[in-house]
Amino acid sequence: MKRNFKGKVILFLALTFLLMIAGCGGGNARNATADINDEEVVKIGVIVAETGPASTLGSSQANTVKLLQKQLDAAGPIDGKTIQLVKHDYETDDTKAVVAMDKLISDGVVAVVGATQSSTSMAIMPKAIEKKLPLFTIAPIESDSEYVYSMAHSTTVIAMPIVEYLNKNNIKKVAWLNAADGFGVTGKPAFEALAKENGIEIVAHEEFDATATDMTIQLTKVRKTDPEAIIVWSRTPGAGIVARNYKALGFDIPMIQSTAAANDGFLEQVKDDNQNIMVVGSKLSVVDQLPDSEQKEILKGFKDSYAEDFNGEPDLFAAHLLDGIQAILEAVKAGHVTSEDIQQYLQNDMGKYLGATGTFDFGVSQASPEADGISVISIENNTWKYND
């Protein structure tokens, strides 16, 4: 029988409290486990783009791994088991990610969290399924495998706050632009279905090369259709280039971008000229502006700990990775330390829990967290602003 842990605070806060108690007893993951028998160590694999073009998304994820390992080392073993996070930087190269996956499997990890990009997640996924190894993807993908858990929101869930915003502002005609890559083409079908249900018409659709340096031609075509808002589905740097071209052409209608633009790299691209530019972003980015709630406590705990170690702020992509590791740690806390046992726990016993990305219930859906962790957020004074 499934247990329902409604509103459960994730393990991160518990680790934070343990860290305060434990003091400075931690250390580097490999040093901390150097003198421990293999059977006393639970290894969790992590594959992220710490370097390369996708590091605009992956660097905060890599930092989160370091932060969590520090927390885990200081807190000490969980039920006699030392936790080791084995991180690989795939350098924004899918082939290197597959090699890293093979290495993690040979190292005996019990689960894997990764990868930063959708294409990379798809590349490593067959190996996880073959080995019956729980894989916690941190980029939007679609899979019907029981061994794949999506920490990132599905395209349909990401589209929900956009449709809510459009309805709230009585916007019924929109233009759609997307990068012609694996991520860019996923958004429109999901949005289109929700738009139809809500009487919203897509009056223009333009695509652009993800590596292009100017999208003025596409935006000029869009202008002729007289939309009331523009929606963009692309990651940086393309997302920022579209936004800059939109400002240069003098558009005075809202532009809403996907979660792939909810990062500091995008903010820097549109610095000082960002009126009417919005993204679907994590509530983590605006936590100090949120009303008091259990969710706010979780997000603030993560944000404050991250800021202390890295003198910066975590983003939605860091939250995806955090939640993937936390899900595995929840299973370990419950006494499950093999891939098979972790899988059974997640499928049958874990129930609902509140993460930094939103609420998860793997027994109901492995495809996405709920939309309660994201919102359409705007930019004010070159920083994110919560729209209540």
Side-chain angles (χ1 to χ4, degrees):
M1 181 180 295
K2 294 182 182 178
R3 298 196 301 273
N4 221 10
F5 299 109
K6 186 176 182 180
K8 177 163 64 171
V9 177
I10 56 174
L11 184 60
F12 184 83
L13 293 182
L15 290 173
T16 302
F17 298 145
L18 286 170
L19 175 59
M20 294 169 61
I21 295 170
C24 301
N28 178 279
R30 297 190 182 276
N31 291 339
T33 59
D35 299 319
I36 301 174
N37 294 330
D38 285 345
E39 59 267 22
E40 296 174 333
V41 178
V42 175
K43 296 180 181 180
I44 299 170
V46 180
I47 300 176
V48 292
E50 191 170 4
T51 59
S55 63
T56 56
L57 312 180
S59 59
S60 66
Q61 296 172 336
N63 286 343
T64 301
V65 177
K66 298 169 188 174
L67 174 63
L68 280 174
Q69 187 67 71
K70 176 183 174 181
Q71 296 270 353
L72 288 161
D73 289 347
I78 298 175
D79 197 23
K81 300 292 184 179
T82 297
I83 310 299
Q84 181 181 358
L85 306 180
V86 185
K87 174 174 66 68
H88 286 269
D89 173 16
Y90 71 93
E91 303 173 24
T92 317
D93 183 327
D94 288 0
T95 300
K96 291 183 179 180
V98 174
V99 172
M101 187 68 171
D102 285 335
K103 182 66 167 60
L104 289 172
I105 292 170
S106 68
D107 281 347
V109 299
V110 298
V112 174
V113 180
T116 302
Q117 297 165 278
S118 298
S119 62
T120 318
S121 299
M122 295 298 293
I124 65 175
M125 187 170 63
K127 291 183 179 292
I129 296 171
E130 179 187 356
K131 297 296 182 180
K132 298 183 177 180
L133 190 69
L135 173 65
F136 297 79
T137 62
I138 50 178
I141 68 163
E142 292 185 8
S143 172
D144 57 3
S145 171
E146 63 180 308
Y147 295 100
V148 179
Y149 301 84
S150 179
M151 299 295 100
H153 299 91
S154 69
T155 49
T156 297
V157 171
I158 295 170
M160 287 177 181
I162 299 177
V163 171
E164 183 179 350
Y165 174 89
L166 297 175
N167 282 335
K168 183 177 179 180
N169 290 276
N170 197 31
I171 295 173
K172 296 299 181 183
K173 295 168 54 182
V174 302
W176 182 279
L177 281 81
N178 64 266
D181 60 10
F183 171 75
V185 300
T186 63
K188 184 171 176 283
F191 174 82
E192 207 164 24
L194 290 175
K196 186 175 181 180
E197 293 174 5
N198 287 270
I200 298 168
E201 181 185 3
I202 300 175
V203 296
H205 174 214
E206 296 290 333
E207 290 192 339
F208 54 87
D209 189 315
T211 62
T213 58
D214 189 280
M215 290 76 167
T216 301
I217 292 175
Q218 290 90 338
L219 286 165
T220 301
K221 292 179 180 178
V222 160
R223 187 197 290 277
K224 295 176 182 178
T225 65
D226 196 26
E228 298 169 326
I230 299 173
I231 301 170
V232 179
W233 217 263
S234 177
R235 63 173 58 88
T236 52
I241 293 170
V242 172
R244 290 204 302 256
N245 294 158
Y246 149 93
K247 296 299 293 187
L249 289 170
F251 279 93
D252 60 358
I253 58 176
M255 170 177 279
I256 306 173
Q257 301 230 11
S258 75
T259 51
N263 58 73
D264 288 342
F266 180 78
L267 272 181
E268 184 62 29
Q269 283 185 285
V270 299
K271 186 176 181 180
D272 298 327
D273 194 12
N274 42 48
Q275 186 178 8
N276 285 335
I277 297 176
M278 289 164 278
V279 304
V280 179
S282 170
K283 290 182 179 178
L284 175 64
S285 299
V286 291
V287 60
D288 293 331
Q289 303 169 43
L290 298 177
D292 290 341
S293 67
E294 184 178 24
Q295 183 181 53
K296 181 176 181 177
E297 290 180 17
I298 293 169
L299 296 174
K300 188 165 178 55
F302 178 36
K303 179 181 177 180
D304 290 349
S305 297
Y306 186 102
E308 182 177 350
D309 276 23
F310 303 108
N311 193 32
E313 295 189 0
D315 53 25
L316 179 60
F317 312 100
H320 295 332
L321 183 133
L322 171 68
D323 287 338
I325 294 176
Q326 300 302 355
I328 301 165
L329 294 178
E330 288 286 345
V332 175
K333 280 177 60 183
H336 306 290
V337 296
T338 68
S339 297
E340 182 180 359
D341 287 348
I342 289 171
Q343 173 72 5
Q344 290 299 315
Y345 177 77
L346 295 172
Q347 294 273 313
N348 301 313
D349 298 313
M350 187 173 189
K352 184 177 288 191
Y353 82 100
L354 180 61
T357 304
T359 300
F360 295 82
D361 190 345
F362 297 132
V364 174
S365 174
Q366 295 174 208
S368 175
E370 296 175 11
D372 56 338
I374 55 176
S375 176
V376 172
I377 59 178
S378 56
I379 305 172
E380 186 175 280
N381 298 321
N382 295 319
T383 191
W384 303 118
K385 183 180 184 300
Y386 180 59
N387 298 314
D388 54 12

